[in-house]
Amino acid sequence: MNPSVDPTDPIALLPLRGGVLLPGTVTTIPVGRRKSIALIKALSERGPEQKVVVGVQRDPRINDPTVADIQPLGTLAEIITVNQAASAALMLTVRGLERVAIESMTGSRPYWTVEASPAPTSSNDSHRARALAGALADQIREIAEDDSGALVRLIDETDPAEDPGLFADRIASLLDLTHERRVHVLLTLDAVDRVEAVARMAGETLTKGEVEEKIRRSVRDAFKDHQRESILRQQLKAIQKELGEGERSQKDDLAARLADIELPDDARETVDRELKRLEALQPGQAEYNVVRTYLETIADLPWSARAETDDDVQRVSDVLDADHYGLDKVKRRILEHMAVLKLSGNPRGTILCLAGPPGTGKTSLARSIAEATGRPFVRIALGGVRDEAEIRGHRRTYVGALPGRLIAGLRKAGAKNPVMLLDELDKVSQSAYGGSPEAALLEVLDPEQNAVFTDHYLELPFDLSEVLFICTANDIGRLSSPLRDRLEIVEVEGYTRDEKLHIARRHLLPKQLHNHGVAGPDADEAVSLEKREGPRPSLELTDDAIRGIIGDYTREAGVRQLERELIRLCRTAALAVARGEAERLEVDGGDLVEHLGKPKYRDEVAERTALPGVATGLAWTPVGGDILFIETSRMPGKGRLEITGQLGDVMKESARAALSYVRSHADTLGVDTDALAEQDLHLHVPAGAVPKDGPSAGVTIFTALTSLLTGRCVRSDTAMSGEVTLRGRVLPVGGIKAKVLAAHRAGISRVILSRRNDRDIDEVPEDVRDRIEFILVDDMSEVLDAALQDEPVEAPLDALGGLTVGDTTEGPHPLSAESR
């Protein structure tokens, strides 16, 4: 054979990820890589009958292979046609001409080129090769004698002895071979060895196909028999129903199931009594189905079935650390709880209630505990539950009666020791109708009583003592005192900015990249052509971009809004690629406005406190801490005090007490008493649509009034929280950790608190404590010294008090300056 490729002339290379082209065969190849598409377009411009070397990659995952990543032998091919596929890929039809040895790669842009030389086939003209080729043809005819397919047609139209090696290649291309076997055929240069290898493969493949066909015929025959049997069984069932024999077998099966269950004595007595009732009833009677359903429910419950648990505390710690970043004190308390359960062997213990703002990982913590211990996980959503029967079940006297959610959850879990999450415990309805679901939970959550929990439907005591109950709540203040007394509250206050950055990197961003089909910066972009319909998008976020999202687009204790903003960026990346605008979206801090719009939050503390009469306070809300502004103004009048902003009674009383203290200490504070009698004062708290109440705004109200009347501005880097007595004493308040985290999120660097709140500062994360100066005070004189600037500001009367900039809250949740 004359060489059809010049060893000194570079030739284009088309590497295949998962296919093999053998000489003497014609096949269609989907082409999707940019370099491969550039190669096809370049060859098409040169005219018809262009040639290319078709190589085989060693590793299909490599997107940009080198010569070391290609098999040493390829196939010189002639391009027949090029068609555009429905996607961005091209469909290339080629004819394999001969084997070539790929010696080196001479270029890789805009497409791959190599130096190649013909790879001669040895022993092709030998008598043994021709004899083996003829034997191969006879073997195929014998095995596939009834087959009129491509193999038989090839044998009928080809002389095997003319070119045994080429005949073996064409036979191999028609066999159902694995990729590795096709590569083996390509790399076998000796014709005798190649024909022998293809003969072995043909025997195995065709024999396997014959066996599979026999199996298919047997399955079809068996299906016909099964169909016949099914029809007969339906007829038999109808006959048994007329005779009453079908129900007899169902009763026997149910009785056998109940006999195999280890039941308490009182439950066994009830079951025996109900079985006798079932025997006396006819299937057509209404009571029959009620009794049978009741007995089936008892049979389905895990009276003695337990899941195999792993009490390894270290494993629980590892799973919690892997699934949740931060929350060190919360995780430590959970580990202490698990350690006590392990050492004491007594399942009765305290019941944990994870309390904190939404989006802080309370529910997922419970799921991680179940995963680590090997217990089934049951989640019971209590939000909006308004009927006691949801907890205790309905009595069987009602039509359609069912057991309560707890018994139903245990029935589904199939074990009496699952992890049961009572989610949103504080959202249980307080309606007077339907009984009190919260009161029904008192027995469930009392370790001393839940061993004999009685569901109204069962009317039997069921042991809940081995259930690991975990509750979640946003506002524990909404729980009744008896219920709260049964729980050990574990505060999950929220995350710092650094913790949110790590959570976004380790959990949120990888999850959303996967959900949106967007490859991350380290993702492998090599996708097989069979599974890929177009270019796969990619998104890369810098740390500055994530910090910008946290600071300018979210203002929350949890991470749900942060996840929503990351989802928006993933959708932006997918859209950009779908439109062909870009293949990779790289987002830095300066690109956020382009993709997410203008920032939702900005540092308004300095703007608001630029004039006297405005002070920054700290509030606790069910969704985390927040800052609030107390604004005051004065105008000519008769010494009256106007209060607006939808404030509660406690907050109004704090305002009146603060004004009384200012009037009684006017000389000390430098306030003109005559001016107080001739002017009206107006106190306003923005976000007027949101209810606000609680005593901890007393310090802030007093500071704002003093600032207004003395003309000294409040420092813009300072926020405060505390209750004030009529004598000026500063009292401690609650929710300090949540409030300090809110101050940190707002960029405040100084916080004024009661000295008796000193112990609460230890609960604040260390990195936040290092960035905030805490000023601990006993009375209001110390507050004023720390909060007010030294020199008064000259301003007209009607300007004092500042401007209202806008709502400082994220939604219609009630702001509360109250401790819990």
Side-chain angles (χ1 to χ4, degrees), residues 79 150 309 361 432 464 479 486 515 520 735 751 762 768 789:
I79 298 177
T309 60
L464 299 181
L479 302 180
R486 285 163 167 79
N515 290 346
V751 173
D762 296 336
V768 176
Q789 296 180 0

Coordinates of all heavy atoms in Angstrom, one line a residue, residues 79 150 309 361 432 464 479 486 515 520 735 751 762 768 789:
I79 N -12.8 12.9 5.1 CA -14.1 13.5 5.4 C -15.0 13.4 4.3 O -14.7 13.8 3.2 CB -13.8 15.0 5.8 CG1 -12.9 15.1 7.0 CG2 -15.2 15.6 6.1 CD1 -12.6 16.5 7.4
A150 N -26.1 -7.0 9.2 CA -24.9 -6.4 8.5 C -23.8 -7.4 8.5 O -23.0 -7.4 7.5 CB -24.5 -5.1 9.2
T309 N -27.9 2.0 66.6 CA -27.4 3.3 66.8 C -25.9 3.3 67.0 O -25.4 2.3 67.5 CB -28.1 4.1 67.9 OG1 -27.8 3.4 69.2 CG2 -29.6 4.2 67.7
G361 N -29.6 27.3 60.6 CA -29.2 25.8 60.6 C -29.8 25.0 61.7 O -29.2 23.9 62.0
A432 N -58.4 29.4 70.6 CA -59.2 28.8 71.6 C -60.0 27.6 71.2 O -60.6 26.9 72.0 CB -60.1 29.8 72.3
L464 N -42.5 6.7 74.5 CA -41.8 7.7 73.7 C -40.4 8.0 74.4 O -39.7 8.9 73.9 CB -42.6 9.0 73.6 CG -43.9 8.9 72.8 CD1 -44.6 10.2 72.8 CD2 -43.8 8.3 71.5
L479 N -43.7 30.8 74.0 CA -44.0 29.5 74.6 C -44.6 29.7 76.0 O -44.1 30.7 76.7 CB -42.8 28.6 74.7 CG -42.0 28.3 73.3 CD1 -40.8 27.5 73.6 CD2 -43.0 27.7 72.3
R486 N -39.9 22.6 80.4 CA -39.5 21.3 80.1 C -38.4 21.2 79.1 O -37.9 20.1 78.7 CB -40.7 20.5 79.5 CG -41.8 20.1 80.5 CD -43.1 19.8 79.9 NE -44.0 19.1 80.9 CZ -44.7 19.7 81.8 NH1 -44.6 21.0 82.0 NH2 -45.5 19.0 82.6
N515 N -26.8 22.6 41.7 CA -28.3 22.7 41.3 C -28.5 23.3 40.0 O -29.5 23.0 39.3 CB -29.0 23.4 42.5 CG -29.1 22.6 43.7 OD1 -28.8 21.4 43.7 ND2 -29.5 23.2 44.8
G520 N -18.0 25.2 38.9 CA -17.2 26.1 39.7 C -15.8 26.2 39.2 O -15.4 25.6 38.2
G735 N -30.8 39.4 75.2 CA -30.5 39.4 73.8 C -29.2 40.1 73.4 O -29.1 40.6 72.3
V751 N -20.2 49.9 71.6 CA -21.5 49.5 72.1 C -21.5 49.8 73.6 O -20.6 49.4 74.4 CB -21.7 48.0 71.9 CG1 -23.0 47.6 72.6 CG2 -21.9 47.7 70.4
D762 N -19.3 37.5 77.0 CA -18.5 36.3 76.7 C -19.2 35.4 75.7 O -18.6 34.6 75.1 CB -18.3 35.5 78.0 CG -17.5 36.3 79.0 OD1 -16.7 37.2 78.6 OD2 -17.6 36.0 80.2
V768 N -15.7 39.1 66.8 CA -16.6 40.3 66.9 C -16.2 41.0 68.1 O -16.1 42.3 68.1 CB -18.1 39.9 67.0 CG1 -18.9 41.1 67.2 CG2 -18.5 39.1 65.7
Q789 N -20.8 63.8 71.7 CA -19.6 64.6 71.3 C -19.4 65.8 72.3 O -20.4 66.2 72.9 CB -19.7 65.1 69.9 CG -19.7 64.0 68.9 CD -19.8 64.5 67.4 OE1 -19.9 65.8 67.2 NE2 -19.9 63.6 66.5

